[in-house]
Amino acid sequence: MAAAAPAIDPRLGADALSFVNSRHQLYIDGKFTASSNGKTFAVYNPATGEEICQVPEADHVDVDRAVHAARRAFDSGPWPAMLPSKRGQLMQRLAELLEQHTDEFAELESLDNGKPVSVARVADVPLAVDLFRYMSGWSTKTLGSTIPLSAGNDYLSYTVREPIGVVAQIIPWNFPLLMAAWKLGPALATGCTVILKLAEQTPLTGLRLAQLIDQAGFPPGVVNVLTGFGEPCGAPLAAHDRVDKVAFTGSTEVGKLIAKTATGNLKKVTLELGGKSPAIIFPDADMDAAIAGAASAIFFNQGQCCCAGSRLFAHESVFDKVIDGMSNIAAKIKIGPGLDPATELGPLVSEEQFDRVTGFLKSGKDQGAKVNAGGNRSGDRGYFVQPTVLSDVQPGMKVVDEEIFGPVVVAQSFATDADLDRLAAQANDTIYGLAASIWTRDISAAHKMARRIKAGTVWVNCHNVFDAALPFGGYKQSGWGREMGAEVLNNYTEVKAVTVKL
Ligand code: ADP
C-alpha cells in the first residue's frame, strides 16, 4: 500500500467519500477478497494527477479463481436453470439499487474518469439503469422458432436459444459504469455467468456495482469482478480455455490481440473498438442545430467516445460559418474538474491519454493543420486539453487517419458538385466504421447518404443518441457483433435445432 494520504476532492458527497476510503476488494464467488498476490495499485484523480486510493491488482491466479467460480455457477449452480422471470427480477432489483445511488455513482465516475458530474448524473448512470431494466425484460423472451421442413411433414423442428456459458468481459475507461452495464445486461438476461475486468484507470464504479450485485442477491459466482492491468489480468482471462466467450470494448489494437488469443479454444468473440466517425453538414441544414450538434459530437465526454464525430465534412458554402460557430462554442466551453457542477469539459482520463492527445495536436500543427480553436493543454495541472478545431487537413495526416480519442475535430469541406457517392467515399475513407451523423433538411439526401455510409450507426440531425433498445457496433475495424438491443442476445446465446420424427 502507498503511504501517501489520498487527496480527495472536497465536493465529493459523504457516500462516495466513504466508498473511496473503504478497503477495495475483488469480487469472486460471491465474496469480497484481496488479490492472491496481495498487491494493489493506485487510482488517480485526472483533475489533479493525485492518487485517490488503492485497489487490488489481480493476476492470472485470481483470473483462475474467478473463472472456476463462474464455471461452477454456470455448470452446476442455479443461474442458467433459474426461472427466467426470477433472473429478470434480480436484474430489476439491481437497476433499482443503482438508481437509488445515482448521485454517489455520478460522483465516483466523475472523480475517477474526470467527466462532468452533471453529465454522469443525467447520462452515464440513468443509461446504465435503463440498460439493466431493458435487458431484464429479455430474460423471459429469448425465443426460438418452429421451422417447417422440406424433408417431410412428419417432422417437428424447432430452435432454442441457450446461454453460451462463461463470459469474460473486458471494458475500457471512457464510460466505466455504462460499459459494465452494456456487458453485464445481456449476459445475465440470457443466463450466462461473467468475469468482468474493469479498466485499470477507472475501477471505482465497477467495484461499487459489485457491492450492489451482492446486495441484490445474485447467486455466488454469477458475476465476478476483477481489477487489474491488461497483460497480467486481461490477457489470461481472454486466453482462458474454460471461458466460452470474450466480449471486449477498447482499442482496435488490443481487440486484435484478443481475437488472436481467443483462438486457443475458439471461444466466441465480440469486439467494440475504435472509430473515426464523420459528421457531414449539408448546406441546407438547420445551421444552428448542426453547428451545436457537431460540436457536441466531438466535445462530449472530452472526445473520449469511440463514436465521436471526429471528422467533420461541411459543404464549402457553409464551411467558414461552421468552423467559426464550432470555434466559438469551443472557446466558451467551461473547462474544470468534473466534480465542479459548472464544468462542461473535464480532464482526459490519464497522463498517458493526455500525452497521446497533445502528441496528436503537435503532429497536426507540424503537418500544417490550421488551429481555429484550442490546440493546447488547459492549465498546468491535471490532464486538461482545450477543445480543438483543426482545418487545412487531408487524408495522410495522422490527425485525419488515426483515432485521437480527445476533444479534437478535423474539418474538411466538400465541393458544390460533390455527388453523394463521392462524398460517401470521402466519409468512408477510414479503417473504421462505427458511426456517422448527417445534418440536412433534405430527407431524400439524408436517407440516400445513410445507405452509403459504411457504419453500424447513422444519426440524422443528431449525434450520440443511445438507447438500450438500439443495437450499437462497428463495420470494418470497428468491431465484431453488436451491443444492446435484441441484436446483442445473439452474441450471448447458442442456437440449437431440435428435430423430432413424429
Ligand atoms: P485504451 O487504449 O483505450 O486504454 P485498451 O484497449 O488498452 O484501451 O484497454 C481496454 C481494456 O483492455 C482495459 O480493461 C485493459 O486493461 C484491457 N487490456 C489491455 N491490454 C490487454 C490485453 N493484452 N489483453 C486483454 N485485455 C487487455
Side-chain angles (χ1 to χ4, degrees), residues 170-171 173 197-201 230 234-235 248-251 254 257-258:
I170 301 176
I171 59 170
W173 45 259
K197 194 201 93 58
L198 309 174
E200 57 270 35
Q201 298 85 349
F248 170 78
T249 297
S251 61
V254 174
L257 288 177
I258 288 195

Side-chain angles (χ1 to χ4, degrees), residues 105-160:
F105 272 85
E107 287 167 13
L108 289 173
E109 204 73 307
S110 173
L111 175 73
D112 201 2
N113 165 282
K115 65 179 67 201
V117 66
S118 57
V119 173
R121 197 174 281 129
V122 299
D124 300 65
V125 185
L127 284 172
V129 171
D130 271 1
L131 195 291
F132 284 122
R133 291 218 165 104
Y134 172 86
M135 285 296 164
S136 74
W138 279 116
S139 65
T140 50
K141 297 171 196 70
T142 42
L143 306 177
S145 45
T146 53
I147 299 171
L149 294 197
S150 300
N153 282 334
D154 50 351
Y155 292 100
L156 167 66
S157 286
Y158 62 94
T159 57
V160 281

Side-chain angles (χ1 to χ4, degrees), residues 27-32 79 87 89-98 101 105 132 169 177 180-181 183-185 188 194-196 198 205-226:
Y27 184 56
I28 299 177
D29 208 9
K31 292 185 195 70
F32 291 94
W79 192 242
R87 281 205 313 268
Q89 280 164 24
L90 283 169
M91 295 177 70
Q92 289 276 353
R93 173 84 185 120
L94 177 60
E96 240 168 68
L97 287 170
L98 185 55
H101 292 86
F105 272 85
F132 284 122
Q169 303 187 317
L177 173 69
K183 290 276 181 280
L184 290 172
L188 297 175
V194 175
I195 306 99
L196 175 69
L198 309 174
T205 48
L207 287 171
R208 182 71 182 103
L209 187 68
Q211 296 181 340
L212 297 190
I213 287 168
D214 194 66
Q215 191 182 339
F218 285 82
V222 170
V223 179
N224 306 273
V225 179
L226 302 180

Side-chain angles (χ1 to χ4, degrees), residues 169-174 197-202 226 228-239 246 248-255 257-258 261 272-273 349-350 352-353 356 403 405:
Q169 303 187 317
I170 301 176
I171 59 170
W173 45 259
N174 58 342
K197 194 201 93 58
L198 309 174
E200 57 270 35
Q201 298 85 349
T202 55
L226 302 180
F229 293 97
E231 282 188 19
C233 181
L237 182 56
V246 56
F248 170 78
T249 297
S251 61
T252 293
E253 190 192 343
V254 174
L257 288 177
I258 288 195
T261 184
E272 206 262 273
L273 308 175
V349 72
S350 64
E352 184 187 355
Q353 205 52 27
R356 181 184 152 83
E403 183 178 42
F405 226 65

